Amino acid sequence: METVDCVVVGAGVVGLAVARALALAGREVIVLEAAEGIGTETSSRSSEVIHAGIYYPKGSLMARTCVEGRRKLYAYCAEHGVPHRNCGKLIVATNGQESEMLQSIKGRAEANGVEGMQLLSGNAATQLEPNLHCTAALLSPATGIVDSHSYMLALQGDAEERGAMLAFHSPVQKGRATEDGIEIEVGGAEPMTVRAKTLVNSAGLHAPKLAQKIAGHAGRQDPHRLLRQGQLLHPRRPLAFLAPDLSRAGAGRARRAHHRRSGRPGQVRPRRRMDRPW
């Protein structure tokens, strides 16, 4: 049986960030990933937006971590050469009622510590983006985009530089809590049993199922899998202000597949990829 200080299950962006933090703290770390490489599931389907922290309730953990994380992410990307762009974002209103809502959005963002929020007239907004048709807009200069896979590669490099090890094709089959840690059975071509003092479940959509496989931990509150479907809207004409930024962030690598249902039940067809012209 292998014994290790920390095991992180899942090599997505969160798992890699956790592994990096543990390794930087001097902990011995092994990352177990069921797939063939890093970031192959949820992390490869991110919108790649660096959110400013606009919409969250004031004082909430989400608001605080989003604002602080965004500042640190820009610094990290610049330091590690991760492709990113502080392109800003326009929140647009198409009628008078929506225009009034922009002021409250601005107030919430500023209460969260978001810098530089600006209310714009419709004319000022169309000077930034001629293809817009709006009555007013709210400019968020702090919003940006990032090449998510390059970011994950940087996290992986930092973790490995400090001694962390990654094992691919290594699915966790089940586990058992003991008095001095957790024993987990790992499948794959070379099955093994690993005993860890600390186990971090960062398996993304598979995290609830993995938690249910760990027997014997006291006071367990296994998370429930709660899925939500998002919708993307396509403009009738190209948005020159946005599309080039998105294409540059995603050029040269596979992007997430967007799907929508066609008119016939049970049939799915892909959306147009965002790293191609509209």
Side-chain angles (χ1 to χ4, degrees):
M1 180 184 298
E2 298 286 339
T3 301
V4 66
D5 185 11
C6 306
V7 167
V8 177
V9 181
V13 64
V14 174
L16 292 170
V18 170
R20 173 184 180 272
L22 290 170
L24 290 176
R27 307 284 295 273
E28 180 189 18
V29 184
I30 292 179
V31 181
L32 300 176
E33 171 55 53
E36 70 280 1
I38 65 171
T40 61
E41 294 197 12
T42 307
S43 295
S44 67
R45 290 154 177 81
S46 163
S47 64
E48 300 189 313
V49 174
I50 302 176
H51 292 283
I54 296 171
Y55 301 104
Y56 309 116
K58 177 183 176 181
S60 65
L61 179 61
M62 192 69 174
R64 297 197 306 272
T65 54
C66 184
V67 172
E68 181 182 358
R70 180 249 304 163
R71 294 167 181 165
K72 290 182 176 180
L73 181 55
Y74 276 128
Y76 183 87
C77 290
E79 180 181 350
H80 289 75
V82 176
H84 68 289
R85 185 178 178 89
N86 186 185
C87 57
K89 176 175 75 171
L90 287 171
I91 304 168
V92 299
T94 58
N95 55 51
Q97 183 179 4
E98 292 179 351
S99 297
E100 294 176 359
M101 294 173 61
L102 295 180
Q103 183 63 56
S104 64
I105 296 174
K106 180 174 182 289
R108 177 178 294 183
E110 291 172 339
N112 288 339
V114 181
E115 310 91 334
M117 301 294 295
Q118 303 173 42
L119 284 170
L120 304 178
S121 66
N123 289 335
T126 54
Q127 288 179 11
L128 292 176
E129 175 43 64
N131 287 313
L132 281 178
H133 293 278
C134 62
T135 56
L138 182 61
L139 174 63
S140 167
T143 304
I145 52 177
V146 63
D147 185 326
S148 61
H149 197 74
S150 294
Y151 175 51
M152 287 187 283
L153 286 172
L155 294 174
Q156 178 186 0
D158 284 351
E160 292 181 328
E161 189 175 297
R162 290 301 185 99
M165 296 177 288
L166 277 76
F168 299 107
H169 299 291
S170 300
V172 175
Q173 306 291 354
K174 60 181 179 178
R176 180 177 66 89
T178 66
E179 292 183 358
D180 56 352
I182 295 181
E183 295 178 2
I184 55 176
E185 295 184 14
V186 183
E190 299 181 5
M192 61 179 175
T193 301
V194 178
R195 176 183 294 159
K197 294 180 181 178
T198 301
L199 175 68
V200 179
N201 181 354
S202 184
L205 294 176
H206 307 288
K209 187 175 181 179
L210 174 60
Q212 294 166 8
K213 293 180 179 180
I214 307 298
H217 58 283
R220 58 189 299 165
Q221 290 183 332
D222 294 339
H224 297 287
R225 188 173 181 179
L226 187 61
L227 304 180
R228 291 289 184 267
Q229 179 182 358
Q231 299 292 332
L232 295 175
L233 301 179
H234 286 257
R236 293 180 180 177
R237 292 186 293 172
L239 290 178
F241 185 58
L242 297 178
D245 292 329
L246 288 168
S247 64
R248 280 194 287 270
R253 62 183 179 80
R255 295 283 299 207
R256 70 189 189 280
H258 301 289
H259 294 87
R260 65 183 175 89
R261 294 195 178 279
S262 69
R264 285 178 289 178
Q267 192 176 43
V268 176
R269 60 181 180 179
R271 288 184 183 269
R272 189 188 301 271
R273 279 174 37 172
M274 296 188 75
D275 59 344
R276 295 177 179 173
W278 294 101

